[in-house]
Amino acid sequence: MKLTPRDRKLVVAATRARKHCYAPYSRFGVGAALELEGGTIVTGVNVENCSYGLTVCAERNALTTAVGKGLLPGKFTALAVVTEADAVVSPCGACRQVLAEFGAPDTRVVMHNLKSGETQLTTLGALLPHSFTPLSLPR
Ligand SMILES: [Zn+2]
């Protein structure tokens, strides 16, 4: 896959959002940007807590913000995640599961590293194959 202008726009939005992360313990700042159907972009940052287990990732913060703006399952089209680590970073397992509830398997995921300038592209389906979805529940 190749970066599209929309992917680049998402990376810029995630990079801008990342400046507002709250990561005093790990110093691992993350910015995320979701593209909703229609082109609206919603951002999120990681928010740590002194009770470490209460930390919430940037991806889930972006998603919950989008849900608060009316996002319905299947209605986000792309995600960008931006970090400044030693390598490109992908969403954690918890975020992959939460994202899979609202995105399709072919939803684009753009992972950008500010330190190296490297960008990798993948999809939600590649990050979480055989995911547990609402269809997995008994009816
Ligand atoms: Zn996460």
Side-chain angles (χ1 to χ4, degrees), residues 2 4 10-11 15 47 77 83 86 93 122-123:
K2 189 174 176 188
T4 67
L10 272 185
V11 167
T15 301
V47 179
T77 52
T83 63
D86 289 335
T122 189
T123 63

Side-chain angles (χ1 to χ4, degrees), residues 44-111:
V45 298
N46 57 327
V47 179
E48 294 183 347
N49 188 274
C50 60
S51 177
Y52 296 161
L54 299 178
T55 295
V56 181
C57 300
E59 299 93 319
R60 276 180 283 151
N61 274 330
L63 185 75
T64 54
T65 299
V67 171
K69 294 177 181 288
L71 173 66
L72 297 172
K75 301 294 183 186
F76 88 88
T77 52
L79 164 73
V81 182
V82 171
T83 63
E84 197 172 42
D86 289 335
V88 172
V89 172
S90 64
C92 76
C95 286
R96 292 177 192 199
Q97 178 61 44
V98 173
L99 291 163
E101 176 105 6
F102 287 89
D106 64 349
T107 300
R108 296 170 71 84
V109 178
V110 184
M111 301 165 291

